[in-house]
Amino acid sequence: MNQTRSFLLIAWLVVAFLLFQQWQSPATVATPNGETTPVTSPVNPTGALPGLPSLPNASTATPTLLATTPAVDAQTVEIQTDVFRLTIDLKGVSIIRAELLTYPVTKAVGSPNIALLNNKPEDFFIAQSGWLTKSGQSAPTHEALFQTVDGKNTFVLAEGQDQLSVPFVWTDEATGVQLIKTLVFKRGLFDIKQTQEIRNPGTEPWTGFAYQQLQRIAPPPPPKHAGLTNPDSFSFIGSAWYSNEDKFEKVKFADYLDNGVLQSPNKSVTGGWFGMLQHHFVTVWIPNKTDTQTYSLATTGNPSNPVYVVRGVSNETVVAAGSTYAREDQLWLGPKAQKHMNAIHPALDLSVDYGIFSFLSQPLFWLLSKLYDLLGNWGWAIIAIVVILKALLFPLSAKQYQSMAKMRAIQPRIEALKERYGDDRQKFAMAQMDLYKKEKINPAAGCLPMLIPIPIFPALYWVLVESVELRQA
């Protein structure tokens, strides 16, 4: 019995150590200058491709220079759907505030809604896109000024309307090159389709590199005493990306730099996605599935409280004289709703980060969802899944109980062997093993069944705290 308890204690300590490793993150190391760069890198973190000019380091993207509230004036546009209230900066058609209308901060009546994106200095988080050029041509970067087609600055998805399209236009007065960037919203959905059409009426080809990026500061840490009672204290917060070759990868904000070296992927990806994750919510760019982009990380701004950047830069696009070019990208901006995310990208549900227990948590969430569909209540679904798990594990428990019963039955005989052999431990051990063989008892049989359930219930715990479907349920 003492051996069983010791074995179980060791197993739990191993699990605790793995969890501790998962939750820990080293302190941020910052270089003296504003933008960090890797010591050796095939890609410029601000330009993302050799020979490209650096991406504009927009002062308007620096939190300390922003107004504390997004002003609705000639430089911004308001868009409201059934799930969003967005503020769009006409510089680059950047989303500088995104309020999720169906997700209040708390369950209290009158609670404000979650503001996933925000240009307030203390909550700075924005989504941007644009184009770079390397031939001296004008480029519609995230600093370029766009205009709405009809001059309006407010757009609303009306009752009975399933789709809202809001076009923005940039024109190069010197060459006549025009970019029409359109944001498309569908009722009930958190993915925003961004279509871009480049028209080149000139006599020379136009060459550009499309890019998308996210910028944010690290959120304030939760209270130190929060511990396991507050999932925000150990949920992953940082950047992540997916590629068909290396699958899901992630870097915490605190891990962007390792001894001053930027841990940037600098990899070419086709058909992937990149974004920033936090507890229950995610912001992800899904580039055109046929487009190859170079994913990279960067930091900018105040080294003591930097702005973290994740971006993708596409390969060269050439728009011949007198022709047009079109592309379509998507931005998921909302909850980690796995069912809906899978409809956008088959691997987007990996952004629901269950940590080291993902291989168990994913099927557990699937089962829990099916039980919810059947019972219509998350509480009853949780009770049902625990009953099912206990039923599935019952054969192991039965073997454990049988083994323990046999051990208890021969315990008097073992005590007798101890008295017979006294301090001769070698003879006692040999006699004990002979007794086990004679009675067909495996001492480990009572311990091994205990090990299998150990990762299952921590995996279920992660499902309960990480799945947005259970938020405030």
Side-chain angles (χ1 to χ4, degrees):
M1 191 65 179
N2 290 335
Q3 288 179 337
T4 300
R5 290 176 179 173
S6 300
F7 202 90
L8 183 59
L9 177 60
I10 293 171
W12 274 111
L13 288 174
V14 170
V15 173
F17 175 74
L18 292 174
L19 285 172
F20 180 81
Q21 280 190 317
Q22 184 74 13
W23 296 337
Q24 292 305 299
S25 59
T28 301
V29 181
T31 53
N33 59 353
E35 178 114 357
T36 57
T37 56
V39 172
T40 58
S41 172
V43 177
N44 181 339
T46 55
L49 285 173
L52 268 180
S54 295
L55 283 166
N57 192 7
S59 61
T60 54
T62 305
T64 56
L65 299 181
L66 291 173
T68 55
T69 57
V72 181
D73 54 27
Q75 296 296 314
T76 61
V77 167
E78 289 284 314
I79 300 175
Q80 181 166 328
T81 72
D82 59 324
V83 297
F84 286 128
R85 183 180 292 118
L86 305 179
T87 301
I88 308 296
D89 190 341
L90 289 178
K91 280 190 174 181
V93 192
S94 301
I95 304 178
I96 60 174
R97 181 174 172 84
E99 188 177 342
L100 307 184
L101 301 182
T102 55
Y103 284 88
V105 175
T106 68
K107 296 178 69 174
V109 177
S111 170
N113 298 313
I114 292 287
L116 188 54
L117 301 185
N118 206 330
N119 66 341
K120 290 184 178 180
E122 64 272 19
D123 300 315
F124 184 71
F125 188 4
I126 60 176
Q128 300 169 313
S129 64
W131 289 78
L132 299 170
T133 62
K134 63 177 182 180
S135 57
Q137 298 170 317
S138 296
T141 68
H142 62 270
E143 284 192 311
L145 186 62
F146 285 71
Q147 300 292 333
T148 55
V149 172
D150 53 9
K152 292 171 58 178
N153 65 355
T154 303
F155 299 85
V156 178
L157 181 69
E159 288 291 335
Q161 186 180 1
D162 291 329
Q163 181 171 300
L164 174 65
S165 298
V166 184
F168 302 84
V169 180
W170 169 88
T171 304
D172 180 5
E173 295 181 359
T175 63
V177 172
Q178 193 174 68
L179 170 62
I180 303 174
K181 185 183 291 188
T182 304
L183 302 181
V184 182
F185 305 86
K186 291 187 177 181
R187 181 172 295 276
L189 300 182
F190 289 93
D191 67 294
I192 303 170
K193 184 187 299 182
Q194 177 179 274
T195 64
Q196 300 186 81
E197 181 181 340
I198 298 176
R199 300 174 181 176
N200 181 11
T203 58
E204 298 292 333
W206 186 90
T207 302
F209 301 80
Y211 69 89
Q212 301 88 38
Q213 67 180 19
L214 301 171
Q215 298 193 59
R216 77 169 297 176
I217 62 171
K224 291 184 178 180
H225 64 272
L228 293 176
T229 62
N230 183 0
D232 287 339
S233 63
F234 53 84
S235 293
F236 176 83
I237 300 178
S239 294
W241 55 91
Y242 174 85
S243 63
N244 291 324
E245 295 76 22
D246 299 318
K247 306 307 178 184
F248 178 72
E249 299 176 275
K250 61 183 181 180
V251 175
K252 291 183 179 180
F253 291 141
D255 294 343
Y256 260 49
L257 292 159
D258 184 8
N259 293 325
V261 180
L262 187 68
Q263 302 303 296
S264 180
N266 298 326
K267 62 171 61 178
S268 294
V269 177
T270 303
W273 55 261
F274 65 91
M276 289 183 172
L277 281 55
Q278 63 191 69
H279 188 220
H280 282 157
F281 300 97
V282 62
T283 306
V284 169
W285 276 110
I286 305 130
N288 190 300
K289 62 182 180 180
T290 62
D291 190 21
T292 299
Q293 286 201 327
T294 299
Y295 294 173
S296 62
L297 305 177
T299 65
T300 187
N302 184 355
S304 63
N305 186 27
V307 176
Y308 297 94
V309 184
V310 59
R311 63 169 62 103
V313 181
S314 299
N315 289 339
E316 185 178 68
T317 296
V318 179
V319 185
S323 65
T324 62
Y325 166 81
R327 67 174 288 137
E328 180 182 298
D329 308 295
Q330 288 177 287
L331 175 67
W332 178 274
L333 189 60
K336 297 177 181 177
Q338 299 183 48
K339 181 179 179 180
H340 298 292
M341 288 193 297
N342 282 343
I344 306 302
H345 190 290
L348 192 53
D349 64 337
L350 294 176
S351 62
V352 184
D353 185 38
Y354 294 127
I356 59 175
F357 297 111
S358 292
F359 70 102
L360 288 173
S361 295
Q362 288 287 357
L364 287 175
F365 174 78
W366 176 87
L367 177 58
L368 187 65
S369 300
K370 295 299 181 183
L371 292 171
Y372 172 77
D373 292 340
L374 178 65
L375 301 172
N377 180 279
W378 286 112
W380 286 112
I382 293 170
I383 293 172
I385 196 173
V386 171
V387 171
I388 290 173
L389 289 175
K390 293 296 288 184
L392 292 175
L393 295 172
F394 178 76
L396 295 175
S397 300
K399 287 187 177 181
Q400 175 190 340
Y401 299 147
Q402 290 170 3
S403 177
M404 293 173 64
K406 289 181 179 180
M407 291 292 291
R408 284 196 299 270
I410 66 169
Q411 193 63 33
R413 298 167 66 181
I414 292 177
E415 293 297 328
L417 291 175
K418 286 182 180 180
E419 294 180 3
R420 180 185 302 177
Y421 295 105
D423 295 333
D424 193 338
R425 293 184 176 273
Q426 185 175 0
K427 288 185 177 180
F428 168 73
M430 292 177 63
Q432 187 180 35
M433 291 304 298
D434 290 339
L435 179 60
Y436 286 156
K437 289 179 181 179
K438 181 180 178 181
E439 299 295 333
K440 297 181 180 180
I441 295 175
N442 182 358
C447 302
L448 293 179
M450 293 181 179
L451 298 180
I452 295 177
I454 286 176
I456 292 177
F457 287 97
L460 179 59
Y461 172 76
W462 276 95
V463 168
L464 301 182
V465 299
E466 283 296 314
S467 300
V468 72
E469 290 83 356
L470 278 77
R471 180 179 183 267
Q472 298 181 354

